[in-house]
Amino acid sequence: MVVLIVFEYIFRNTNVSYIANKNVIDMATRKEIGQQIKTCRKSLGFSPLILAQTTQINKTTISEIENGRFTGPFDIFERLIDVVGLQFQMAPKKHSLPDWDEIESLFLEED
């Protein structure tokens, strides 16, 4: 089974808990995931240094994640997203097959 990642950003304001931003990202790129993490970090008022101290993750690694260049262990992602209020969720991958017109256009000969 192939799955895609669904991000859900839950923001807690005093005693009220609500979903502030819900993005479904089909096969999100590392850059898109990093940008979402960075956006959440900034909305919480955390600098990269504060986030590094809080998560025990090197500041350089946080920068790599936020810029989509991190290829390390998943547990580092888990620690980081937990602190900024994100979570990974799995959902079945949506399959879409091309229609006949799209297939035909792939094989058209140019003059």
Side-chain angles (χ1 to χ4, degrees):
M1 174 190 283
V2 180
V3 294
L4 63 103
I5 297 171
V6 178
F7 266 119
E8 189 170 53
Y9 170 48
I10 302 174
F11 180 77
R12 300 190 193 291
N13 186 3
T14 60
N15 294 330
V16 179
S17 179
Y18 61 96
I19 296 176
N21 183 13
K22 187 173 185 178
N23 296 315
V24 176
I25 306 172
D26 292 334
M27 295 303 293
T29 65
R30 284 184 294 210
K31 190 167 186 156
E32 291 168 328
I33 293 169
Q35 187 59 49
Q36 184 70 31
I37 291 169
K38 185 177 192 175
T39 299
C40 293
R41 172 183 60 78
K42 286 183 173 184
S43 73
L44 293 169
F46 290 170
S47 70
L49 180 60
I50 291 173
L51 191 57
Q53 292 169 342
T54 304
T55 60
Q56 299 292 308
I57 297 171
N58 189 295
K59 194 171 103 172
T60 303
T61 302
I62 291 172
S63 176
E64 288 175 346
I65 291 170
E66 290 183 348
N67 290 298
R69 294 187 310 266
F70 180 72
T71 58
F74 190 71
D75 68 311
I76 291 177
F77 267 117
E78 289 177 310
R79 279 192 284 154
L80 185 60
I81 66 173
D82 183 55
V83 170
V84 297
L86 292 171
Q87 63 188 22
F88 279 112
Q89 294 182 347
M90 305 303 278
K93 183 176 181 178
K94 296 176 188 173
H95 297 279
S96 68
L97 299 173
D99 62 25
W100 285 111
D101 292 333
E102 290 172 317
I103 293 172
E104 188 174 294
S105 70
L106 294 172
F107 296 97
L108 288 178
E109 293 183 21
E110 294 183 27
D111 295 330

